[in-house]
């Protein structure tokens, strides 16, 4: 009985400590929550509260999260940092591997706050630091998830003419899922784009980040073109430059431009869309002297643009790359049909978008856009009243639903382009600007793929000539592919319908995904990094480059060798 009594008293004492500890823990969390409430109250109704003393939260969603009556402390308990917070911090530290910038997510402040919390005495938890840490981590989570899901660059702010249907992501729901019994790492990794090419670019990004951390490369001095037989310091500089990126693999030491170096130069030129003649002319030298940090920025920008697109779920789709002037029919990540394309020029940029081709039009009409009618057709009519007849065009008053009118009854020189009521439509035939086939997919830009009578332009290296629609180099082959599942529509049927001259709309058995991207850097099917000219000057945006270590000055050269 005596032993039992002693055990009983021990149990009572232990229970008292447990209850005291529980009360103490609840008191800490209550104080932290009260401190966060104080932040919100002191904001005066502003959409963004102060995450820390000198940092305003970047997203209004963070304020909304803590404004809810049901809001809780997410990243600590009983004054101790939770494992899910450590998972998030690790992801933020490594965000540069996904072409993101760790300091966007307040990493330095988070590290300071975690150190402050971890080093505090057990019975004296830093309430203010815990409140700052909770709001800062929440803001970092939401902003990182937003960037990973839909891109760091705001396309509407930087490229207002491109209306992109991004994937829908509910950020507050993600936060709840990650912090309430979920796994932060698993939730955030689920946002990684599955779009083909993203992971390949990520691998190349790591390669160039390592090059930068090891010092990058020096500049090749200006001078005469380098070619077979050239000698001297500039040849050595060229060898070193190409050896760093892997085009030049010869270990034999020489300062003479030989066949091996020519092959390396040709490989580099092919990767940059240059004429692969093995001669380092002014254009090739300029590409060679682009700094490693600039290449990292280009890779990161292109990864970011891939994040704009919705997740690719279909194994079959059309991929148009505007700067490469190319269209690929993709199946299971491989191109099974490739063709050149002509894209929009200047102010008439082709749009970046994702849609589905639902039907094709054989022997189509060309309903001339009003802007082209005012700016191009009307001036030609004023010079030549027979222009419409020569181009097989009809004119309509107000609407194509009205019957066509006789253009000879109109004094075109008196027509004001600013309030012109007339519309023009070109009939099917050899003059038709859309050629023989038109491929239709819904999009707010009002563009489509189509054939063209000016096929000689496909022989040009740079092919931005259109008003925004995309002209395809192999329209019949593309139509055959799209209609391959359609009964009674083989290649011969398409050709036969074209020859008939009759307009016909043919719906696909299943709509086909089409993705139009703007890729100035990508990885080809051979695993080679490809670069193309930034024809729309889209890459001229602020995108900070983060490196795990500082690189040495890239502008130093080997002139003193």
């Amino acid at each position: 009985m005596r032993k039992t009594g002693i055990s009983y008293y021990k149990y009572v004492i232990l229970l008292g400590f447990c209850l005291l500890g529980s009360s103490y823990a609840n008191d800490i969390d209550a104080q932290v929550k009260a401190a966060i409430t104080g932040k919100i109250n002191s904001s005066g109704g502003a959409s963004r509260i102060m995450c820390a003393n000198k940092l305003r939260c970047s997203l209004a969603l963070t304020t909304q999260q803590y404004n809810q009556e049901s809001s809780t402390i997410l990243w600590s308990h009983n004054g101790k940092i939770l494992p899910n917070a450590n998972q998030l911090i690790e992801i933020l530290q490594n965000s540069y591997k996904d072409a993101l910038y760790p300091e966007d997510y307040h990493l330095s402040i988070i590290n300071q706050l975690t150190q402050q919390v971890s080093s505090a005495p057990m019975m004296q938890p830093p309430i203010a630091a815990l409140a700052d840490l909770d709001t800062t981590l929440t803001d970092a989570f939401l902003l990182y998830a937003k960037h990973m899901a839909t891109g760091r660059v705001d396309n509407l702010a930087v490229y207002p003419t491109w209306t992109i249907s991004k994937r829908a992501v509910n950020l507050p729901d993600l936060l709840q899922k990650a912090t309430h019994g979920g796994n932060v790492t698993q939730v955030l990794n689920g946002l990684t784009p599955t779009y083909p090419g993203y992971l390949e670019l990520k691998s190349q990004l790591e390669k160039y980040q390592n090059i930068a951390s090891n010092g990058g490369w020096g500049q090749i001095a200006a001078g005469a073109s380098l070619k077979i037989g050239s000698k001297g310091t500039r040849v050595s500089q060229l060898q070193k430059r190409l050896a760093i990126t892997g085009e030049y693999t010869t270990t034999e030491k020489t300062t003479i431009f030989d066949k091996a170096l020519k092959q390396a130069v040709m490989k580099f030129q092919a990767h940059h869309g240059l004429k692969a003649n093995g001669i380092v002319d002014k254009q090739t030298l300029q590409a060679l002297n682009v700094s490693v940090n600039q290449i990292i920025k280009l890779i990161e920008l292109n990864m970011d643009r891939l994040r704009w697109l919705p997740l690719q779920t279909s194994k079959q789709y059309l991929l148009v790359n505007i700067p490469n002037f190319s269209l690929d029919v993709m199946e299971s990540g491989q191109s099974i049909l490739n063709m050149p394309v002509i894209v929009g020029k200047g102010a008439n940029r082709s749009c970046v978008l994702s849609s589905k081709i639902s039907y094709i039009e054989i022997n189509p009409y060309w309903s001339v856009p009003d802007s082209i009618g005012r700016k191009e057709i009307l001036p030609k009519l004023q010079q030549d009243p027979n222009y419409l007849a020569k181009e097989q065009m009809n004119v309509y008053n107000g609407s194509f639903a009205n019957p066509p009118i006789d253009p000879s009854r109109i004094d075109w020189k008196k027509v004001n382009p600013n309030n012109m009521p007339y519309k023009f439509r070109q009939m099917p035939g050899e003059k038709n600007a859309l050629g023989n086939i038109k491929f239709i997919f819904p999009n707010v830009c009002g563009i489509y793929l189509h054939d063209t009578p000016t096929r000689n332009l496909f022989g040009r290296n740079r092919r931005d000539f259109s008003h925004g629609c995309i002209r395809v180099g192999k329209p019949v082959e593309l139509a055959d592919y799209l209609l391959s599942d359609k009964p009674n529509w083989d290649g011969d049927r398409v050709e036969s319908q074209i020859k008939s001259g009759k307009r016909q709309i043919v719906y696909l058995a299943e709509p086909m995904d089409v993705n139009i991207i703007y890729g100035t850097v990508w990885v080809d099917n051979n695993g080679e990094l490809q670069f193309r000219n930034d024809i729309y000057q889209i890459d001229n945006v602020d995108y900070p480059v983060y490196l795990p270590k500082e690189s040495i000055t890239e502008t130093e050269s080997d002139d003193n060798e």
Side-chain angles (χ1 to χ4, degrees):
M1 289 292 294
R2 186 173 179 83
K3 290 182 178 180
T4 302
I6 292 173
S7 298
Y8 173 76
Y9 285 119
K10 285 182 177 180
Y11 170 76
V12 170
I13 292 170
L14 181 61
L15 178 62
F17 275 117
C18 289
L19 293 173
L20 180 63
S22 176
S23 174
Y24 175 73
N26 290 335
D27 184 58
I28 292 174
D29 287 347
Q31 290 181 61
V32 173
K33 186 172 182 180
I36 295 173
T37 302
K39 286 174 176 288
I40 295 174
N41 292 338
S42 65
S43 70
S47 61
R48 296 188 299 152
I49 61 173
M50 294 297 291
C51 275
N53 290 337
K54 297 181 180 180
L55 172 69
R56 185 172 293 277
C57 292
S58 58
L59 295 178
L61 282 175
T62 303
T63 306
Q64 296 170 18
Q65 166 64 31
Y66 291 104
N67 244 335
Q68 303 174 75
E69 290 186 8
S70 59
S71 68
T72 59
I73 310 305
L74 299 177
W75 306 101
S76 70
H77 177 61
N78 191 16
K80 301 296 181 184
I81 298 172
L82 292 172
N84 59 12
N86 293 324
Q87 290 180 30
L88 175 57
I89 292 169
E90 183 177 1
I91 288 172
L92 300 180
Q93 289 171 337
N94 291 304
S95 60
Y96 69 91
K97 296 180 180 179
D98 271 288
L100 296 174
Y101 192 65
E103 285 306 317
D104 281 347
Y105 316 111
H106 329 309
L107 188 59
S108 296
I109 291 176
I110 289 171
N111 287 336
Q112 294 171 13
L113 291 170
T114 54
Q115 177 63 28
Q116 188 176 344
V117 171
S118 300
S119 60
M122 182 181 298
M123 301 304 289
Q124 295 179 358
I127 301 301
L130 285 164
D132 283 343
L133 181 61
D134 212 80
T135 52
T136 307
L137 283 171
T138 295
D139 194 67
F141 178 97
L142 292 170
L143 186 58
Y144 175 90
K146 179 177 182 289
H147 287 173
M148 183 57 77
T150 59
R152 183 181 185 275
V153 174
D154 182 354
N155 67 287
L156 290 178
V158 181
Y159 321 118
T161 59
W162 289 353
T163 305
I164 298 162
S165 301
K166 298 182 178 182
R167 53 174 161 159
V169 178
N170 189 314
L171 296 178
D173 282 358
L174 280 179
L175 178 65
Q176 292 299 311
K177 182 180 178 181
T179 57
H180 289 72
N183 183 300
V184 170
T185 301
Q186 184 178 9
V187 169
L188 290 180
N189 284 350
L191 297 175
T192 301
T194 58
Y195 196 85
Y198 181 87
L199 293 180
E200 288 83 354
L201 277 177
K202 182 175 179 178
S203 177
Q204 290 289 335
L205 175 62
E206 181 182 14
K207 169 186 171 180
Y208 282 89
Q209 286 171 336
N210 289 334
I211 290 174
S213 296
N214 289 324
W217 51 71
Q219 297 278 291
I220 301 170
S225 295
L226 296 173
K227 54 189 175 181
I228 289 284
S230 297
K231 301 178 181 180
T233 302
R234 295 178 65 235
V235 172
S236 297
Q237 293 171 351
L238 175 63
Q239 290 168 335
K240 289 184 177 180
R241 166 64 182 85
L242 294 175
I244 288 173
T245 47
E247 288 90 358
Y248 186 65
T249 57
T250 303
T251 57
E252 182 181 350
K253 292 185 178 180
T254 176
T255 58
I256 301 176
F257 195 121
D258 57 11
K259 289 183 179 180
L261 186 55
K262 179 180 179 179
Q263 290 297 318
V265 170
M266 291 175 65
K267 188 174 183 181
F268 176 88
Q269 290 169 326
H271 292 167
H272 288 74
L274 302 171
K275 184 178 180 181
N277 57 11
I279 299 173
V280 181
D281 54 13
K282 184 177 180 180
Q283 193 175 18
T284 300
L285 181 63
Q286 184 178 16
L288 285 163
N289 280 339
V290 172
S291 72
V292 66
N293 279 20
Q294 179 63 16
I295 287 179
I296 290 171
K297 176 187 173 182
L298 293 176
I299 295 172
E300 291 184 337
L301 279 170
N302 280 272
M303 289 176 66
D304 198 61
R305 286 197 285 265
L306 290 180
R307 285 191 279 260
W308 295 352
L309 300 175
L311 294 177
Q312 183 66 51
T313 56
S314 173
K315 293 183 178 180
Q316 295 177 291
Y317 58 94
L318 306 187
L319 178 65
V320 176
N321 185 357
I322 295 171
N324 194 40
F325 310 110
S326 65
L327 181 151
D328 287 274
V329 176
M330 304 295 293
E331 287 191 359
S332 301
Q334 296 295 314
S335 174
I336 64 166
L337 176 62
N338 172 268
M339 66 190 70
V341 301
I342 294 169
V343 302
K345 181 178 183 178
N348 300 308
R349 296 173 175 175
S350 297
C351 292
V352 168
L353 57 84
S354 290
S355 187
K356 291 179 180 290
I357 294 179
S358 54
Y359 67 91
I360 69 174
E361 186 176 346
I362 301 175
N363 297 320
Y365 294 128
W366 180 39
S367 299
V368 180
D370 289 343
S371 60
I372 297 178
R374 292 193 308 270
K375 297 176 182 178
E376 298 183 27
I377 305 298
L378 179 59
K380 292 175 181 178
L381 261 173
Q382 290 172 337
Q383 294 294 321
D384 180 6
N386 294 319
Y387 175 79
L388 294 181
K390 292 176 181 178
E391 296 299 320
Q392 300 174 359
M393 286 185 175
N394 288 334
V395 60
Y396 302 79
N397 192 351
S399 169
F400 293 122
N402 297 324
I405 58 179
D406 185 352
S408 66
R409 295 184 177 182
I410 302 169
D411 186 348
W412 292 105
K413 291 186 176 181
K414 293 183 178 180
V415 174
N416 186 340
N418 296 321
N419 58 4
M420 183 177 70
Y422 304 112
K423 292 180 176 292
F424 305 101
R425 173 179 281 170
Q426 192 172 40
M427 305 308 290
E430 61 180 15
K431 291 278 190 176
N432 191 286
L434 305 185
N436 296 318
I437 309 177
K438 177 180 175 183
F439 305 84
I440 307 299
F441 46 91
N443 65 92
V444 296
C445 297
I447 69 170
Y448 41 83
L449 308 179
H450 66 87
D451 184 15
T452 176
T454 55
R455 307 197 61 79
N456 60 301
L457 294 178
F458 288 112
R460 305 276 188 92
N461 188 44
R462 176 165 174 163
R463 297 187 294 274
D464 51 332
F465 304 117
S466 82
H467 289 87
C469 290
I470 295 170
R471 309 172 197 172
V472 298
K474 300 177 183 177
V476 174
E477 289 92 329
L478 182 58
D480 286 345
Y481 176 82
L482 293 174
L483 297 177
S484 59
D485 293 335
K486 183 83 172 178
N488 303 319
W489 275 96
D490 56 15
D492 292 340
R493 176 78 183 274
V494 173
E495 293 276 16
S496 175
Q497 186 62 39
I498 290 172
K499 290 177 181 178
S500 74
K502 295 181 180 179
R503 176 175 175 266
Q504 181 166 0
I505 290 176
V506 186
Y507 285 88
L508 276 60
E510 291 288 339
M512 175 68 68
D513 287 344
V514 56
N515 296 307
I516 302 176
I517 66 170
Y518 191 87
T520 53
V521 181
W522 75 96
V523 179
D524 66 18
N525 288 340
N526 297 317
E528 301 286 357
L529 193 62
Q530 295 284 337
F531 300 83
R532 292 297 182 271
N533 288 336
D534 180 19
I535 60 172
Y536 294 165
Q537 300 300 300
I538 296 302
D539 290 336
N540 294 336
V541 296
D542 179 36
Y543 204 96
V545 169
Y546 177 90
L547 299 174
K549 316 191 276 191
E550 290 296 328
S551 62
I552 64 174
T553 304
E554 293 182 350
T555 55
E556 64 187 16
S557 66
D558 302 315
D559 292 339
N560 56 358
E561 281 193 357

